[in-house]
Amino acid sequence: MKVTIPYTPRKQQAFIHKELDKHRFSVLCCHRRFGKTVMLINHLIKCCMMNKNHQPRFAYIAPTYSQAKKIAWDYLKFYTKGLPNTKYNETELRCDFFNGSRITLLSSENPDSIRGIYLDGVVCDEASQISRELIDEVIRPAIADRKGWMSLCSTPKGMNNIFYDMYLKAQQEKDWFLYKAKASETNLVDKEELDAAFKVMGAATYNQEFECSFIGNVRGSIYGELISKLEDEKRIARVPYDPSYSVNTAWDIGFNDSTAILFYQNVGHAINIIDCYENNNKAFPHYAQILKEKDYVYNQHIGPHDLEQTDFTTGRTRREVAYQLGLKFKIAPKLSIEDGIHAVKMLLPRCYIDVDNCTKFINALRHYHRKYKEKDRLYSAKPNHDWSSHFNDALRTLATGLENEKFNNIRIRQTAYDKGFTL
Ligand SMILES: Nc1ncnc2c1ncn2[C@@H]1O[C@H](COP(=O)(O)OP(=O)(O)O)[C@@H](O)[C@H]1O
Ligand SMILES: [Mg+2]
């Protein structure tokens, strides 16, 4: 039987439909009005028509029942109106087709109603507003039986949600499909409408909604733009350890607070950050042991200036204690936080960061921000001190330590020049 559906996919939608057929898991980060909901509903309809399983079951999940009902349900009815003998259940938002297949619209408001069902395929629309528990505890088990597929589609909403986690995961997993569509690249929304949206929303929200920016709404973000750029240039990717180069480390050391370590390799002009480690309330032997266990061949360790402080319990400097454990530190110069941040901004464009080993570090980079002081209507001068501070301090150690090397080299050159040598 030949059935027609009144849907002609746009170029980008057609591409996605093809890729969804090839991949079990996909993450689609697309701007507002891209045509996400229309595309997802039509993909489910197509799957219903093509799937050969006994009683195929598919689901569309929206954050709330009213979102599912207001938008997706109308699309579903519209696009299936040409199919014979379709039964629509208005209260359950369920649609049964002539061939025994079914699409149900569900919402993450009542996960218990979804528990225990099986699914051949599922799409999560506006996935950044869908709870982690729903996806991990309900949807994944539901697709396990029939090896069903799952697609998460959304505009970003910051970094503390399942969509961002899955976005990072999709960057690492070779067999996942990751797609990103910014309005400035698709030309699907006309310029007048975009300009109007920009005026109403302001830059941060606009970048989130139309330019797929995960940092768009982290107010006062310090490295936000640079990180987006690194991402666009695919520098946040798989950056494996290259055994033909030695590994260096850069530290932020806290004794009551967290200690954070970055592991990196200098490859030509590039800095490959291949690994990271963070822990708290541990003494030096612990970190020395971690370094040993990593099994890298080390060259240099850069530490912050407070390594020179004398420890009251041992009467020695922390640097000396580290030295006895086999960690010979070079101390980064003491610079103001502002100068340190500047050094990092100069350094980041040279960096490649491993997305597998450095998830926590990457999150910290994105999160690092200055607090907005509502009363004074300005951002505080200092970055907010929170979980993200330690990795960012370690990165400042790296940047200022390397800067120092450059200054030293200039100094060596200068001295050599003064003595009449050329280097
Ligand atoms: N292939 C298509 N052909 C024609 N119109 C489309 C198509 N895809 C989407 N649209 C229209 O574009 C608009 C936005 O679609 P929608 O799926 O709601 O976007 P999103 O969910 O990405 O915000 C709607 O008016 C929809 O009808
Ligand atoms: Mg939508």
Side-chain angles (χ1 to χ4, degrees):
M1 184 180 63
K2 191 167 169 9
V3 292
T4 8
I5 289 171
Y7 167 65
T8 314
R10 296 164 171 164
K11 187 176 77 196
Q12 297 86 346
Q13 290 167 326
F15 173 72
I16 294 173
H17 287 305
K18 261 201 212 135
E19 294 298 321
L20 293 193
D21 288 340
K22 288 190 239 162
H23 296 88
R24 187 167 177 220
F25 295 102
S26 61
V27 174
L28 316 171
C29 182
C30 307
H31 63 81
R32 208 192 259 201
R33 303 202 55 75
F34 172 86
K36 297 184 287 299
T37 308
V38 165
M39 171 181 78
L40 296 175
I41 289 290
N42 276 292
H43 198 74
L44 294 176
I45 299 170
K46 187 185 102 173
C47 288
C48 274
M49 298 301 115
M50 312 291 276
N51 194 292
K52 299 279 183 289
N53 284 347
H54 174 66
Q55 297 195 325
R57 297 286 177 262
F58 296 94
Y60 165 96
I61 301 186
T64 65
Y65 176 86
S66 81
Q67 264 167 294
K69 171 125 190 155
K70 255 194 267 166
I71 308 161
W73 185 239
D74 283 345
Y75 283 152
L76 182 60
K77 285 197 291 189
F78 174 77
Y79 288 108
T80 54
K81 66 182 182 220
L83 299 174
N85 300 324
T86 308
K87 292 192 184 67
Y88 299 97
N89 184 322
E90 291 281 339
T91 41
E92 290 185 24
L93 302 186
R94 198 181 74 207
C95 156
D96 286 280
F97 297 112
F98 61 91
N99 62 359
S101 59
R102 170 186 292 174
I103 297 176
T104 314
L105 307 194
L106 298 162
S107 72
S108 65
E109 283 170 323
N110 50 346
D112 287 335
S113 68
I114 313 176
R115 245 174 250 277
I117 61 171
Y118 74 85
L119 292 169
D120 296 85
V122 56
V123 298
C124 300
D125 200 3
E126 300 301 344
S128 53
Q129 297 168 58
I130 287 176
S131 77
R132 265 195 190 89
E133 292 70 32
L134 182 82
I135 304 232
D136 289 341
E137 291 166 23
V138 184
I139 312 266
R140 287 193 150 210
I143 58 172
D145 267 6
R146 292 208 186 178
K147 292 226 170 342
W149 54 268
M150 175 171 84
S151 180
L152 277 78
C153 186
S154 196
T155 49
K157 284 253 173 317
M159 289 162 285
N160 189 16
N161 57 63
I162 184 84
F163 186 62
Y164 180 65
D165 296 351
M166 293 291 179
Y167 174 82
L168 288 184
K169 192 163 170 59
Q171 287 183 332
Q172 306 158 34
E173 304 281 341
K174 268 199 242 56
D175 49 354
W176 283 44
F177 173 57
L178 175 64
Y179 185 85
K180 195 169 177 182
K182 301 176 175 183
S184 57
E185 290 165 0
T186 62
N187 296 324
L188 288 173
V189 186
D190 58 45
K191 190 167 177 313
E192 271 165 31
E193 200 178 325
L194 291 178
D195 287 347
F198 188 92
K199 270 197 194 123
V200 176
M201 294 174 167
T205 310
Y206 178 87
N207 284 335
Q208 170 176 290
E209 298 295 316
F210 287 102
E211 289 297 294
C212 300
S213 162
F214 283 93
I215 53 104
N217 257 358
V218 178
R219 289 178 100 183
S221 170
I222 295 173
Y223 302 129
E225 275 172 31
L226 283 168
I227 304 297
S228 300
K229 206 151 172 263
L230 286 185
E231 208 168 67
D232 286 348
E233 290 169 2
K234 308 244 178 309
R235 283 162 173 262
I236 301 181
R238 277 295 289 139
V239 186
Y241 167 51
D242 182 344
S244 58
Y245 291 90
S246 53
V247 173
N248 305 308
T249 64
W251 296 55
D252 172 45
I253 296 177
F255 285 84
N256 303 315
D257 218 354
S258 282
T259 289
I261 311 170
L262 296 174
F263 298 76
Y264 66 98
Q265 298 189 290
N266 298 62
V267 178
H269 187 60
I271 307 289
N272 290 0
I273 302 179
I274 53 162
D275 205 348
C276 69
Y277 183 79
E278 188 180 18
N279 210 327
N280 56 23
N281 282 323
K282 296 271 195 262
F284 252 116
H286 171 80
Y287 300 104
Q289 185 60 29
I290 293 291
L291 259 63
K292 231 186 239 160
E293 280 167 19
K294 294 269 187 197
D295 221 12
Y296 298 136
V297 178
Y298 295 100
N299 173 27
Q300 173 168 263
H301 306 288
I302 311 181
H305 59 88
D306 52 5
L307 273 176
E308 296 287 25
Q309 280 175 24
T310 305
D311 205 329
F312 290 117
T313 47
T314 60
R316 291 174 295 166
T317 67
R318 290 160 178 178
R319 186 187 195 172
E320 284 162 351
V321 173
Y323 188 78
Q324 288 195 322
L325 289 163
L327 295 176
K328 204 171 144 206
F329 273 99
K330 180 188 136 177
I331 308 275
K334 187 174 181 177
L335 296 182
S336 69
I337 291 187
E338 259 335 289
D339 287 340
I341 288 175
H342 180 73
V344 169
K345 286 185 174 170
M346 304 302 285
L347 177 80
L348 274 177
R350 291 166 56 191
C351 291
Y352 289 83
I353 306 173
D354 186 83
V355 74
D356 256 346
N357 294 339
C358 301
T359 312
K360 220 175 151 194
F361 166 58
I362 297 165
N363 283 348
L365 276 178
R366 292 175 198 265
H367 184 80
Y368 201 44
H369 66 281
R370 297 177 210 279
K371 248 214 169 107
Y372 188 70
K373 292 189 286 188
E374 213 58 68
K375 198 176 78 199
D376 310 327
R377 296 215 183 152
L378 44 82
Y379 289 100
S380 55
K382 274 193 179 168
N384 197 35
H385 185 82
D386 58 25
W387 61 269
S388 72
S389 307
H390 313 291
F391 273 129
N392 280 290
D393 289 349
L395 185 60
R396 271 195 297 127
T397 310
L398 199 174
T400 51
L402 283 184
E403 264 308 288
N404 196 32
E405 217 159 79
K406 207 165 76 190
F407 289 143
N408 278 343
N409 288 344
I410 292 169
R411 225 174 286 143
I412 292 165
R413 258 188 226 137
Q414 190 61 44
T415 323
Y417 181 78
D418 291 346
K419 290 190 175 161
F421 300 123
T422 41
L423 284 180

